[in-house]
Amino acid sequence: MVLTRTTNHTYSHPFPTVTLAFFLRYYSPQLNPFSSHVLSTDTISSHVDPATGRLHTTRLHLKKSRMPAAVVKLLPTSVTGGGGDKSSYVLETSVVDIKEGWMKTESRNLNYTGVLSVVEEQHYSTSSADTSASPNMTTLAAPRALPPNTFVTTTFSYRSTLGNKKQERAPVGLVENPDGAGPRRLGSWISGWGANRIQRSIESIASNRTDDQMVKSRDGMGIVLERLRNNGVVSVLRELRRREGGTVFEQQPSPPA
């Protein structure tokens, strides 16, 4: 069973600016203070399909991660490695069609997948899900102004496979026995609790953290977007290339009334 959760959001910025902010959101904490948990970002591949004109990009992010406290308490240390900060890799793939005005992205964790696999899928578009429709030839032929807003639908999928048959056959650690009879194998601990019960609990705990994570993610994107709007794209890109100096992004003074 896979637990899913879908949310919708609207950015009051045109689509090209939003796509640029998406790729810049982890560039530096000076640009996005909500990205301090991102340790590194590497571009694995990036190319434009000559047939469609779409940009295909694959990136690998290394992030500081903290397993939810409730999960740490629920599972034995042999599975979670204990509490505290850890690092994990996140694989991100994206496809951008600037002509049609949409971008699709997918991010998934590469570590701790036996405990929990989280997949985040996003669809950015110049039209909302309620009003989107296949344009006719007349619409395609007519010139159109750049829409002022960008709509995004985000879907999280959570899946825990802890205790599945394939994992039970693999070597497992020992779990402390609360009865004082010495340690017992992880498989016995899972059998006592019930694999399905443990999996659903892990998925539910992770899903409940989504709201806070989404607020921080959108706040970070909002800061990047405002800096792009206030300072200009060229100015922001120039400042991002500066590796030294003081505060790169300063609040622009309000024009006199």
Side-chain angles (χ1 to χ4, degrees), residues 1 12 25 39 73 88 128 155 228 245-246:
M1 180 178 176
S12 57
R25 73 194 193 283
L39 302 176
K73 294 179 181 179
S88 60
S128 67
T155 300
L228 288 171

Side-chain angles (χ1 to χ4, degrees), residues 37-56:
H37 66 293
V38 181
L39 302 176
S40 66
T41 293
D42 295 291
T43 300
I44 299 176
S45 65
S46 184
H47 72 277
V48 176
D49 187 333
T52 63
R54 294 170 181 169
L55 174 64
H56 296 254

